[in-house]
Each structure stands twice: as structure tokens, then as C-alpha cells.
Amino acid sequence: TRGDTVVFNATFRFGDIESIKRSPEPAGSAAGEMLMRGSKTMTREQISQRFEALKTAANVSGGVQSAGISLNSKREHLADALALAADVLRNPSFPEAEFEQFRLQSITGLESVSKEPGTIAGMAMSEYFDPWPKGHPFAYQSIAETLIRIRALKREDAIAFHRDFYGTAEGEISVVGDFDPAEVKAQLRTLFGDWRSAAPNVPVRTHYTDVRARTVRLETPDKANAVVLARSNLSLNDNDAEYPALMVASNVLGGGSLSSRLGDRLRQKEGLSYNVGSSIVADSSREGRDDAGELSIQAIAAPQNVARLDAALREEVSRFVRDGITEAELKASVNDLLTQRQQGRASDANVAGLLGRNLYMGRTMAWAADFDAKLKALTVNDVNAAIRKHIKPETLSVFAAGDFAKAKK
């Protein structure tokens, strides 16, 4: 820790899919957005001023199945900051004027990005890969559908969601820094121990879905740059034996901080992209094996270069699978990943987040140490075998949005 600072993170969980279905969308996100906008005893400005007086950076927020408190404070102010955050979470007043401001900001924000290439490509890809049936709370919604729901939402809907779902008896709390553990534990029991949600939390299981490759071009008139998104679903959980190897593969392909296969080819060598990167994401689960993983690639290019970029991207991924990585790439990538992980653990805020996640997943810091050891033990054959098992170039979908009509002129 640094000086007398302390970082506090709490995530409180509630709700199951069937109960959430009965609440109008987006009441859950609206309730979370309204928490810091006024309590039963303080206005939005007074809350902000009080946290500032306590020298505390604070956020109290919520979503469909959880609410959270994040504090960065000082030892002498932690107790008062916690009490204030708890009051904000438990006793929001949902001021009418603030609710209307939230609604207007949401509408304006959505409308302002609705014609951007990144938004259009991303929404189209989300719809195509959407694994949820119609009517599911997590099912794809277009911007137009979301705007209709926001306009129809009532202040009373957000109030009802808070009343019917919120609670603090289930969840995880992590504290890192300069504090008295006994005093904090006693205060936490008083603030949060007795508030139980009327709708206990049931985690939503997620699984791999086989999605056929597709190529899509979407027109966005008068936009200088095009956005290219590529995706392939992977059956992958972060406890899988191949996951450390695929982290290295992801780093070499397009996630490296210094260089990458995609960056070297598409940006440096051929000048087809202003920016390109990729990532491999693994699913995680406390029980069983949730496995909704994915390989994703993002690039920004001039519209007239998109066809060539698409072809070069696919060619590079195919070469990556065919030839694999080299010993030099393995060494550089492992060192890069270990450095990133070590630097991440040097931050109190990151450590607090990791501890909270470990509590939820039933893990300890030994899991991270074991993962580091697995990275160090990898061989080129390990990584290349994982690449060939999981990455299938023929399943890669590519969605691009840009002013292609103007580029043809």
C-alpha cells in the first residue's frame, strides 16, 4: 500500500433470469445509474461534496444482477466514506429531475454513436453472434429497440427494481491498504449484513455456440475511416489446460505491447490499417465449465483498403495456424505477459479487484501464481498445439462498416 491510502471494492449479487424477465428493461441499469444522483437525505451535489471532503474517490453503481461500491480513500476517512456509500446504495431517492436527465443523456448518447462505423459494425456482429433467445434479458437489442425502451421507462420502474432486487447479504468485499481489519469487519456487518435481496442471485450459465462464418459490409456515408471487426467463437474456459498457451498465442497474434503478427503485416508492412489488435477471451465459472470463449480482431482502415485488409487478415491467421510461433516469439511473449501481470499486481486497485474476483470464483492468489508458473513452463509445441486445436480460420466472420460507395468513385 502507499501511505495511508485504502481501496475498498464490494460487489453485491441478486436476481435470477426468470425474476429479471418480469422487470421492464432497462430498469436495472437505470436503478444503478440513479444511485449517486440523490439519497433520501442528500442531493447529488451534496453527495459529491461530502465524498470530496472525505478525500475519497467514490462510485456506487448497479446493473441487472449486481450492485457495487468502489472507494479510494484514506485510513482516517474510510469509516465515514463507507457509511456514506452504504446510505447512497440503500436509500436512493430517484429525484424526478435527475431521472429525466439520465433518460435524456442516455438517448443523446445512443443517438450520437448510432451512425458511427464502430457502432454499426459492432451491433451487427452482436446480433449475428447473439446466443440468447428472444425475450431473454441478455438478448440482442438494436439501438432503435433500446431507445424505445428508454423512452417508455418510468421512474417508478427504477424504484421498483431497487426495492425488489437490491440487497447486500450476498456478494464479495475486498479491502487493500492501510486499515484496521477488526474495525472494518464490524462496520461491514452493521452496514450490509442484514439486507437480503428478495430475489437471490442465480448465475447465468454461458456456453460455446457454433456460428458459421460470414462476411458483411455495411455502409456509413461520409465517414473517413472504416472499422473492421472479426470474430470466431471458441470453446474455452480459463481453467482449461490450453488457456495459458492461448494467452501467449493471443499476445503473438495481435495483443503484444511491442509487436504482433497482425500489426507487423497489416500496419507496418502493407500500410493497410491505422490500428489493429486481437484478443482471445476465455469464459469462467464457479461450477461446471462455462465455455463461451472467442477470438476477436479489430482494425481501423481507409474504406478503399478494407477488401485487401480482409484478405490479408485471413491469410495471416491461416499462416499463424499453419506455421505456429517461434522460440523467440514464445520467450518475448511470456516475458511480456509476466511483466504485465506483475505490474498489475503492483496496483492496490487491481489487487482489490483480483481479490474480489477470487472470492467469487472460490480461488486464492495461488491460482495466479500457478498460472504464472504455467506460462513459464510453456514450450513452442504446447502453444502451437493449442493454436491448431482452437483457432479455425474457416470459422472467422468479418464485419466492416465504412463509406465504401465513396471509395469506389
Side-chain angles (χ1 to χ4, degrees):
T1 187
R2 290 155 183 77
D4 59 350
T5 62
V6 57
V7 174
F8 175 94
N9 279 350
T11 300
F12 304 110
R13 303 182 186 276
F14 45 75
D16 64 278
I17 289 302
E18 291 307 313
S19 61
I20 291 168
K21 282 182 180 179
R22 296 191 288 271
S23 179
E25 298 181 46
S29 57
E33 287 284 347
M34 289 295 296
L35 296 174
M36 292 282 283
R37 293 174 178 249
S39 71
K40 292 178 180 177
T41 57
M42 303 177 75
T43 66
R44 177 181 185 171
E45 291 75 17
Q46 288 170 334
I47 292 170
S48 177
Q49 290 167 1
R50 181 56 180 154
F51 275 125
E52 186 175 346
L54 293 171
K55 296 180 172 58
T56 299
N59 187 43
V60 184
S61 59
V64 176
Q65 281 196 289
S66 67
I69 295 173
S70 175
L71 304 174
N72 192 323
S73 190
K74 300 284 187 179
R75 179 186 178 105
E76 66 267 28
H77 297 308
L78 179 62
D80 289 338
L82 267 176
L84 175 57
D87 182 57
V88 167
L89 180 69
R90 298 188 66 155
N91 300 299
S93 59
F94 299 94
E96 185 71 48
E98 291 286 349
F99 182 80
E100 291 306 321
Q101 185 184 66
F102 154 75
R103 190 209 305 275
L104 179 61
Q105 289 172 338
S106 300
I107 292 171
T108 302
L110 284 171
E111 289 178 339
S112 69
V113 301
S114 63
K115 296 182 180 180
E116 292 299 319
T119 302
I120 290 175
M123 295 294 288
M125 178 169 277
S126 295
E127 182 178 19
Y128 184 62
F129 278 84
D130 182 25
W132 305 109
K134 192 173 181 62
H136 193 284
F138 298 159
Y140 167 83
Q141 283 184 20
S142 69
I143 288 181
E145 290 171 328
T146 302
L147 287 170
I148 289 172
R149 288 179 167 88
I150 291 174
R151 290 188 173 105
L153 190 70
K154 298 180 177 62
R155 171 177 173 268
E156 290 73 22
D157 296 328
I159 294 172
F161 189 95
H162 185 272
R163 180 194 66 226
D164 295 342
F165 288 95
Y166 271 54
T168 55
E170 183 177 356
E172 309 85 47
I173 294 173
S174 57
V175 191
V176 176
D178 186 1
F179 66 98
D180 185 306
E183 289 180 3
V184 171
K185 283 183 180 179
Q187 186 181 17
L188 294 178
R189 290 191 193 99
T190 300
L191 293 175
F192 303 121
D194 64 342
W195 189 25
R196 295 195 171 275
S197 170
N201 177 249
V202 178
V204 179
R205 306 304 302 268
T206 48
H207 298 291
Y208 164 81
T209 53
D210 185 10
V211 179
R212 188 172 60 180
R214 186 181 180 194
T215 300
V216 177
R217 298 286 186 270
L218 301 157
E219 285 289 340
T220 56
D222 302 320
K223 298 297 180 181
N225 294 327
V227 172
V228 179
L229 304 177
R231 173 174 166 176
S232 175
N233 282 353
L234 309 176
S235 174
L236 187 63
N237 182 281
D238 65 2
N239 272 322
D240 290 351
E242 298 97 348
Y243 180 52
L246 287 171
M247 284 280 286
V248 170
S250 175
N251 191 268
V252 173
L253 179 62
S257 59
L258 298 176
S259 67
S260 68
R261 293 283 188 89
L262 291 173
D264 293 348
R265 168 77 183 275
L266 303 179
R267 186 179 63 246
Q268 304 295 347
K269 181 180 178 181
E270 300 191 17
L272 295 174
S273 176
Y274 307 121
N275 185 46
V276 61
S278 72
S279 62
I280 290 177
V281 177
D283 206 343
S284 59
S285 47
R286 292 189 296 180
E287 301 174 353
R289 181 179 176 272
D290 290 6
D291 65 338
E294 67 179 73
L295 163 66
S296 62
I297 301 170
Q298 313 83 33
I300 299 173
Q304 63 268 24
N305 289 335
V306 165
R308 290 170 56 206
L309 184 146
D310 186 343
L313 182 155
R314 294 177 188 276
E315 183 179 294
E316 203 58 39
V317 172
S318 295
R319 180 182 289 120
F320 186 66
V321 174
R322 183 188 69 233
D323 299 342
I325 71 167
T326 66
E327 190 70 43
E329 287 175 323
L330 171 65
K331 183 178 180 179
S333 181
V334 168
N335 287 339
D336 189 23
L337 290 169
L338 289 173
T339 298
Q340 290 177 34
R341 291 169 63 80
Q342 184 179 16
Q343 290 174 344
R345 292 191 288 266
S347 159
D348 287 354
N350 288 346
V351 171
L354 181 58
L355 290 173
R357 177 174 171 77
N358 283 348
L359 286 170
Y360 179 68
M361 297 299 296
R363 299 171 178 171
T364 67
M365 292 300 288
W367 193 93
D370 184 54
F371 194 91
D372 288 351
K374 290 175 180 177
L375 286 173
K376 294 175 184 177
L378 286 171
T379 67
V380 168
N381 287 338
D382 293 333
V383 177
N384 290 341
I387 290 171
R388 292 176 186 127
K389 176 180 177 180
H390 287 276
I391 300 178
K392 308 296 181 184
E394 67 274 11
T395 68
L396 197 66
S397 291
V398 178
F399 285 63
D403 193 348
F404 303 117
K406 182 182 290 185
K408 291 178 181 178
K409 293 178 181 179

